[in-house]
Amino acid sequence: MPTLIPKPTRVTAVGNKPKLIDEYVGRVTSKTSNISVAHMRSPGGWEEPGQTPEFREITLVLAGTLRVEHKGGVMDVHAGQTVVCEPGEWVRYSTPEEEGAEYVAICTPAFSPGTVHRDA
């Protein structure tokens, strides 16, 4: 039988400015550990610490620009584009443009503060 998730759960974000995270599927909302789906809205100038997650993260940018720093350089992901970061890769996300960014993040297995391994 299909499961209806009537609304997302607002999750606390990490970073230098307030960012909105609404989890639709994951450890908090649906008690799902194999995948998480979250809608993110980050303001211009937002940045978070670098991280080396144990999960694969697929990020679909809906609006604005998401900057992804990685060991090989920097890439800007624009509206309509997707970036895939594999487990064990160091990355750091930010939204340097004034309009910020809106995007959907899908993590397999599900995002967990214990498996994201943020820089100190």
Side-chain angles (χ1 to χ4, degrees):
M1 178 174 190
T3 302
L4 174 66
I5 298 170
K7 65 178 186 169
T9 302
R10 179 69 43 93
V11 181
T12 303
V14 173
N16 65 328
K17 292 183 171 186
K19 172 175 119 171
L20 300 177
I21 302 176
D22 291 325
E23 182 191 86
Y24 283 84
V25 173
R27 296 178 192 272
V28 177
T29 304
S30 62
K31 310 299 183 230
T32 304
S33 62
N34 63 334
I35 189 167
S36 60
V37 178
H39 182 196
M40 318 275 206
R41 289 168 299 253
S42 57
W46 169 83
E47 57 186 41
E48 69 180 359
Q51 59 191 31
T52 308
E54 294 178 26
F55 47 83
R56 182 179 208 215
E57 187 164 11
I58 302 163
T59 306
L60 165 62
V61 178
L62 303 173
T65 300
L66 178 69
R67 178 161 291 161
V68 182
E69 295 176 52
H70 53 94
K71 292 215 181 226
V74 176
M75 88 175 51
D76 286 340
V77 186
H78 304 285
Q81 297 181 323
T82 300
V83 62
V84 179
C85 298
E86 298 297 338
E89 286 185 305
W90 179 87
V91 293
R92 186 166 93 92
Y93 298 106
S94 62
T95 48
E97 303 294 327
E98 185 177 324
E99 74 274 8
E102 180 179 1
Y103 50 100
V104 174
I106 301 163
C107 300
T108 58
F111 175 90
S112 166
T115 61
V116 71
H117 305 294
R118 289 193 175 100
D119 296 348

